[in-house]
Amino acid sequence: MRYYISLIAIAVIGITIFTACEKAALITNTVKTNSAATPPTQDPAANAPRISLADAKKDFDAGNAVFIDTRAEQAFKQEHIKGAINISADTFEARYKEIPTGKKIIAYCS
């Protein structure tokens, strides 16, 4: 039971973070292409928890965290954090089981 609750929690957190990254990219592209753009509305995904680089490195080095690169595979192949797992937003549903359980999940998209 605890395993399933953890799995569901990971899925919800992952989807929230992936959605935030995708929406941030969409908003950025929209603002760049629309000179009369109004400020984006507040999105609940914008309130996703953030972590400092120092804390992320400390947790990763201690083996307590895993980095998930949510960008497209091509961008991941060009450059990524060593040891990161590439699971893009469009493949998340099919690949979420690849995310290790029992670790802090640190997702990044840029």
Side-chain angles (χ1 to χ4, degrees):
M1 180 72 175
R2 187 173 178 192
Y3 172 77
Y4 292 112
I5 292 172
S6 296
L7 204 57
I8 290 169
I10 289 171
V12 169
I13 292 168
I15 290 169
T16 301
I17 292 172
F18 292 138
T19 303
C21 289
E22 291 297 317
K23 287 184 180 182
L26 178 63
I27 290 169
T28 301
N29 290 336
T30 302
V31 170
K32 285 180 182 176
T33 59
N34 185 359
S35 60
T38 57
T41 58
Q42 185 62 16
D43 184 341
N47 295 327
R50 305 288 193 245
I51 186 170
S52 71
L53 179 59
D55 288 341
K57 182 174 180 356
K58 184 174 103 179
D59 287 340
F60 183 75
D61 289 346
N64 299 326
V66 60
F67 286 114
I68 307 292
D69 187 320
T70 64
R71 300 172 300 155
E73 185 178 359
Q74 182 180 9
F76 178 80
K77 286 181 179 180
Q78 288 179 346
E79 184 177 39
H80 62 271
I81 296 172
K82 185 177 180 179
I85 300 169
N86 178 230
I87 301 180
S88 62
D90 57 337
T91 63
F92 179 77
E93 196 169 321
R95 298 185 56 207
Y96 73 92
K97 292 181 182 178
E98 296 174 32
I99 300 172
T101 58
K103 293 187 176 194
K104 183 184 291 185
I105 299 168
I106 304 170
Y108 68 93
C109 56
S110 58

